Amino acid sequence: KDISEKINLLPLKYFDTTSKGEVLSRVTNDVDTLSQTLNQSLTQIITSVTTIIGVLIMMLTISWRMTLASLITIPISLILIISIVKRSQRFFKEQQDYLGNVNGHVEEMYGGHLVMKAFNGESKSIDEFNKRNNKLYGAAWKSQFLTSIMMPLMNFVGNIGYVVVSILGGYLAAKRTIEVGDIQAFIQYVRQFTQPISQVANISNILQQTAASAERVFEFLEEDEEIKETSNPVKVKEIKGRVTFDHVNFGYNEDETIINDFSADIKAGQKVALVGPTGAGKTTMVKLLMRFYDINDGEILIDGYDIKDFTRSDLRRKFGMVLQDTWLYNGSIMENIRYGRLSATDEEVIAAAKAAHVDSFVHHLPNGYDMILNEEASNVSSGQKQLITIARAILKDPRILILDEATSSVDTRTEIQIQRAMDNLMKNRTSFIIAHRLSTIRDADLILVMNHGDIVEQGSHDELLEKEGFYAELYNSQFKKDQAS
Ligand SMILES: Nc1ncnc2c1ncn2[C@@H]1O[C@H](COP(=O)(O)OP(=O)(O)O)[C@@H](O)[C@H]1O
Ligand SMILES: [Mg+2]
């Protein structure tokens, strides 16, 4: 429960720098090890400890001298156990770490199976797997070897106990202080006494693995979280949609600035286009607006309120977003569109699908709207995926819509049709459009031209063309290319 809550509180930065397999390994393998210990080993420990105490009491009732003598074995056992545990603990930690590492690799290779095959990456992947797996093997056999010699060592120490009992018992019997029957009973008890001790020693193997796992789980639980929500969030029923960027400065890492000094004022209802070369920081601006990352300096305001004064969920509720990387989950097309607004009726879903031109291809698919998309949604084309995500955003009916290269894989004719449907829909709503085909954003109210994280020019299409600057150059190069083709 804690882990699943934690995952929601982690900043996106964490997932930028940690592999999925690594996170999965902590959540599955490590938690599994913990629960197994709690289920099985813990009960064993309880029986063992109870047995030890019971036997100790019985031995004391027979002869305290004999009991003391047979307890000599305990410090010897403890010294042995501690010295082995000390050595093997490191290997257990390594074992769990490398297990996460191997899982990360496997996850990655299956995730990108198609590309890996296309580039004949099989042998390289197998080599890499073997390399990581060998490390895992190395750590695992060392930890297992060290703990497997624990049991025979304990048996050896236990046998010393017999010898001591026999010698002392023989001496005391000769002096007639105890009876031969008592010695017999003692030998039985010593056996019962050493058995749980060696059992505990054996469990310590599992406990060590558990400690290593617990460490990894707690490490995860102690990761830095997102900046806390504001304590008294603003409550605005209906926002108008004015968006202001005020000297925004941001970098994904502290030492690297991606957005330098971004300022723009977007009036409610305006259609804004962000254009610029790849890597200019367009997607980054969108992520900042939705507060996936917190800016380092400056302010982003919606209707005059700092976005930090909204709760994250409240802020994101105002946006509908279609990202560059489409995300669809393992479910039917209907369910995937409805993800935009879970309370939507079938009719509303289909209306949104029609606006996004999903309806026109859905009927050619087996099962239509009930067709199940597989995990990577690789059973529909990239363009179709984009259309489905657009339908989802349309269904959400947000105040502010963001389309990040949302139609980049769709043919030009469909793109223009969607644009028209969108224009209707986005009347009086603020929208941010990022598109590479500049012909589709010609009619935007405001075009922000970005380069290297800065706005280099802004204005309407005609104004920018007149300026004959960066935008005019971009536009003309595309226009000529379009004519040539
Ligand atoms: N999660 C990330 N972590 C670190 N750097 C990133 C991350 N995402 C993007 N960048 C960097 O930020 C810059 C801008 O990226 P982006 O905003 O995605 O560009 P684009 O204008 O093509 O959408 C790029 O140089 C990229 O390397
Ligand atoms: Mg982008």
Side-chain angles (χ1 to χ4, degrees):
K1 186 168 156 273
D2 285 349
I3 287 177
S4 107
E5 277 167 11
K6 180 73 188 187
I7 285 183
N8 292 330
L9 292 177
L10 284 172
L12 283 179
K13 204 181 200 163
Y14 178 78
F15 298 100
D16 286 345
T17 49
T18 320
S19 85
K20 272 188 223 162
E22 173 66 35
V23 179
L24 278 179
S25 188
R26 285 179 202 242
V27 176
T28 53
N29 295 331
D30 290 326
V31 172
D32 203 43
T33 309
L34 275 176
S35 84
Q36 251 176 25
T37 306
L38 294 177
N39 284 332
Q40 296 167 8
S41 311
L42 212 59
T43 49
Q44 251 180 41
I45 290 178
I46 293 172
T47 19
S48 299
V49 170
T50 326
T51 315
I52 291 174
I53 294 172
V55 168
L56 201 59
I57 292 171
M58 291 309 291
M59 293 204 300
L60 282 172
T61 57
I62 297 175
S63 156
W64 64 268
R65 267 179 291 197
M66 294 271 282
T67 311
L68 277 185
S70 53
L71 289 188
I72 293 177
T73 55
I74 289 185
I76 304 177
S77 318
L78 283 183
I79 290 169
L80 281 173
I81 291 175
I82 290 171
S83 70
I84 290 178
V85 165
K86 246 193 203 153
R87 256 163 254 254
S88 57
Q89 182 64 46
R90 184 166 68 89
F91 297 122
F92 276 108
K93 174 87 172 94
E94 276 181 18
Q95 185 187 338
Q96 291 307 100
D97 282 348
Y98 289 139
L99 185 60
N101 203 301
V102 169
N103 281 341
H105 178 71
V106 171
E107 214 275 339
E108 207 169 42
M109 285 305 126
Y110 278 114
H113 212 190
L114 210 62
V115 179
M116 191 269 288
K117 272 191 173 330
F119 285 91
N120 287 328
E122 286 101 331
S123 61
K124 187 171 170 296
S125 165
I126 291 170
D127 284 349
E128 180 65 30
F129 176 83
N130 285 340
K131 215 169 76 197
R132 295 183 187 203
N133 199 34
N134 276 339
K135 274 193 190 159
L136 173 61
Y137 171 77
W141 85 253
K142 279 178 205 140
S143 60
Q144 295 304 326
F145 175 77
L146 280 174
T147 47
S148 67
I149 58 173
M150 196 97 93
M151 199 73 173
L153 272 179
M154 288 301 111
N155 280 340
F156 175 71
V157 176
N159 288 338
I160 295 179
Y162 286 146
V163 177
V164 173
V165 165
S166 304
I167 293 175
L168 185 68
Y171 170 73
L172 291 176
K175 275 179 60 184
R176 305 231 173 260
T177 18
I178 62 168
E179 290 176 21
V180 178
D182 285 340
I183 301 175
Q184 173 62 29
F186 235 88
I187 287 178
Q188 296 286 336
Y189 282 133
V190 167
R191 177 175 301 152
Q192 282 188 34
F193 190 66
T194 47
Q195 206 180 15
I197 289 186
S198 47
Q199 231 169 41
V200 170
N202 203 35
I203 291 172
S204 74
N205 153 19
I206 301 166
L207 285 184
Q208 280 182 83
Q209 201 172 351
T210 309
S213 289
E215 199 180 317
R216 285 164 51 82
V217 171
F218 285 113
E219 247 170 39
F220 181 77
L221 288 178
E222 274 159 23
E223 284 291 340
D224 289 340
E225 293 180 3
E226 287 185 317
I227 295 171
K228 284 259 178 314
E229 302 277 19
T230 131
S231 47
N232 53 339
V234 286
K235 291 218 170 54
V236 194
K237 257 247 132 36
E238 189 72 2
I239 59 153
K240 295 198 178 61
R242 178 175 172 197
V243 179
T244 317
F245 295 96
D246 187 14
H247 298 286
V248 173
N249 187 296
F250 172 75
Y252 288 98
N253 309 308
E254 268 129 50
D255 48 343
E256 195 189 4
T257 313
I258 301 284
I259 304 293
N260 300 322
D261 187 25
F262 187 104
S263 292
D265 189 23
I266 294 127
K267 297 187 188 67
Q270 273 193 329
K271 176 175 168 181
V272 185
L274 282 171
V275 302
T278 303
K282 304 180 298 290
T283 302
T284 305
M285 286 317 301
V286 165
K287 289 183 182 163
L288 294 182
L289 186 56
M290 294 194 67
R291 211 177 160 204
F292 289 133
Y293 297 87
D294 279 298
I295 53 179
N296 302 349
D297 211 8
E299 272 182 327
I300 301 177
L301 308 162
I302 293 182
D303 279 10
Y305 301 104
D306 193 323
I307 55 168
K308 286 184 184 145
D309 292 337
F310 294 97
T311 61
R312 284 190 180 80
S313 65
D314 203 28
L315 177 74
R316 289 170 193 162
R317 196 169 298 131
K318 304 179 194 324
F319 290 97
M321 161 174 95
V322 182
L323 272 191
Q324 203 166 1
D325 311 312
T326 49
W327 179 78
L328 296 165
Y329 65 92
N330 189 202
S332 71
I333 293 181
M334 186 73 114
E335 287 166 338
N336 266 289
I337 298 177
R338 187 171 284 136
Y339 196 75
R341 180 156 53 90
L342 297 177
S343 60
T345 63
D346 283 4
E347 286 71 35
E348 286 171 317
V349 171
I350 290 170
K354 282 197 170 125
H357 291 259
V358 170
D359 197 68
S360 51
F361 73 82
V362 139
H363 296 294
H364 301 297
L365 297 173
N367 295 330
Y369 282 104
D370 294 326
M371 175 176 154
I372 303 290
L373 300 175
N374 59 23
E375 215 168 319
E376 306 270 316
S378 57
N379 47 357
V380 288
S381 81
S382 309
Q384 290 169 336
K385 275 195 254 183
Q386 290 191 327
L387 296 182
I388 295 172
T389 51
I390 290 173
R392 177 154 72 196
I394 291 178
L395 183 69
K396 187 173 176 188
D397 193 16
R399 285 306 304 168
I400 304 175
L401 185 76
I402 298 170
L403 302 178
D404 186 359
E405 290 173 33
T407 47
S408 57
S409 306
V410 175
D411 65 90
T412 330
R413 203 168 57 107
T414 313
E415 184 176 35
I416 291 167
Q417 285 171 342
I418 291 177
Q419 214 81 51
R420 254 181 238 141
M422 285 284 175
D423 285 345
N424 256 337
L425 193 90
M426 292 325 294
K427 249 180 211 133
N428 304 323
R429 286 167 213 237
T430 314
S431 56
F432 290 85
I433 318 274
I434 300 172
H436 278 298
R437 265 174 256 171
L438 298 182
S439 53
T440 56
I441 48 105
R442 250 189 311 216
D443 63 332
D445 300 305
L446 179 66
I447 298 174
L448 303 175
V449 188
M450 289 187 71
N451 199 10
H452 301 304
D454 271 324
I455 297 188
V456 289
E457 287 172 14
Q458 53 178 306
S460 71
H461 175 73
D462 294 332
E463 284 166 15
L464 290 173
L465 273 193
E466 240 163 65
K467 241 188 220 168
E468 293 185 359
F470 194 56
Y471 178 80
E473 200 181 307
L474 276 180
Y475 183 79
N476 287 330
S477 66
Q478 272 194 16
F479 190 62
K480 276 187 204 121
K481 199 183 74 200
D482 285 352
Q483 279 200 327
S485 57

